[in-house]
Amino acid sequence: MTTPEPQSPAPRPPATEPPDRIHRSAGGIAGGVLLLAIVLWLGCDALVTGHGRVPWLALAAMILVVPLVTAFTLRPAVYANEERLRIRNPFRVIALPWGQIAALRSGYSNEAIGKSGTKYQLWAVPVSMRARKRAARQKTRENAVGEREGRPGRFGLGSRGGPFAGTGFGGGGGGAAGGAGGASGRAPADQFMSDLIDLHEARQNADAAQGEVSVRWAYEILGPAVAGAVVLAILLAVG
């Protein structure tokens, strides 16, 4: 009687990275789409109806302008999960494990400060003084209504949520921020930064949130823009 050979354990499925929550600027996206539509409309019109060097100048200008408009409007985004913060700025992509972040600061701009002292601006989370004032007025009105009705205002217990509050880090939807302040009585950008700060405080000492800072240049943007600039300069120089 033969003894059956022991079977090897089934291989474990590869570990998957936690899903990202993405934040973009709704105003930036809308402005970028509008600018691209204008540039393409004017450029294509010059290509079709232009004479002499005009079509070539229009083509070179579009090769230069379209990547730049895309870089500053459609491209910026912030990706956050339980392991790291990834910042996609116009010309760079920065991956910051939570353990490598010293602080997140919100003032006239929103920044992540690494432990080395390097500052990384969050282009996708622009500061809007108008949105801050609108959110403050909304909070004041809510508190006034609450006092008239003999109960605390909607925002009377504070505006800062838990580690996954506000922008959906714990299962809600991320996405572009815009419009008036949310349920916290803050401008959308300020609420998003508050949630990032809470997430950083909760995860900065976790083993999975350690590692090295990674910075990658966006050559897919820089390459076409430089090529367009060179061609445009040559065309203008030769007259």
Side-chain angles (χ1 to χ4, degrees):
M1 183 176 179
T2 59
T3 303
E5 296 181 0
Q7 296 181 351
S8 59
R12 294 182 179 179
T16 57
E17 188 177 352
D20 289 328
R21 292 294 169 179
I22 307 172
H23 180 94
R24 291 186 175 93
S25 170
I29 293 174
V33 170
L34 179 60
L35 285 175
L36 286 176
I38 294 173
V39 169
L40 293 176
W41 174 50
L42 295 175
C44 292
D45 181 69
L47 286 174
V48 173
T49 63
H51 301 284
R53 295 188 309 137
V54 172
W56 294 104
L57 289 170
L59 180 61
M62 284 195 296
I63 295 175
L64 168 63
V65 172
V66 169
L68 293 180
V69 172
T70 302
F72 285 97
T73 58
L74 304 183
R75 176 179 169 81
V78 174
Y79 302 82
N81 60 30
E82 295 183 355
E83 295 181 359
R84 53 102 182 102
L85 177 70
R86 186 160 66 96
I87 306 167
R88 193 171 72 184
N89 282 342
F91 302 120
R92 295 192 301 174
V93 178
I94 305 105
L96 292 164
W98 293 115
Q100 289 293 333
I101 298 177
L104 290 157
R105 186 167 59 190
S106 180
Y108 290 103
S109 64
N110 292 310
E111 300 172 332
I113 304 174
K115 288 190 172 179
S116 64
T118 306
K119 299 178 182 178
Y120 305 98
Q121 187 173 355
L122 278 64
W123 281 75
V125 193
V127 171
S128 173
M129 301 306 295
R130 176 182 295 181
R132 284 180 176 176
K133 292 178 181 178
R134 183 166 58 244
R137 289 195 299 268
Q138 178 183 352
K139 180 178 179 179
T140 301
R141 286 195 299 267
E142 292 286 342
N143 286 335
V145 171
E147 291 176 0
R148 286 198 300 268
E149 295 179 357
R151 56 179 175 81
R154 180 179 175 183
F155 308 108
L157 298 179
S159 60
R160 186 161 175 169
F164 303 109
T167 53
F169 285 115
S184 66
R186 295 184 177 186
D190 293 337
Q191 180 59 49
F192 182 79
M193 288 300 296
S194 177
D195 293 327
L196 286 184
I197 291 171
D198 288 333
L199 185 57
H200 171 241
E201 292 175 353
R203 297 295 299 170
Q204 61 181 330
N205 296 320
D207 293 338
Q210 310 304 315
E212 298 296 327
V213 177
S214 171
V215 179
R216 182 183 70 84
W217 288 95
Y219 295 107
E220 66 275 14
I221 296 291
L222 294 172
V226 171
V230 170
V231 174
L232 186 60
I234 293 173
L235 291 173
L236 294 174
V238 298

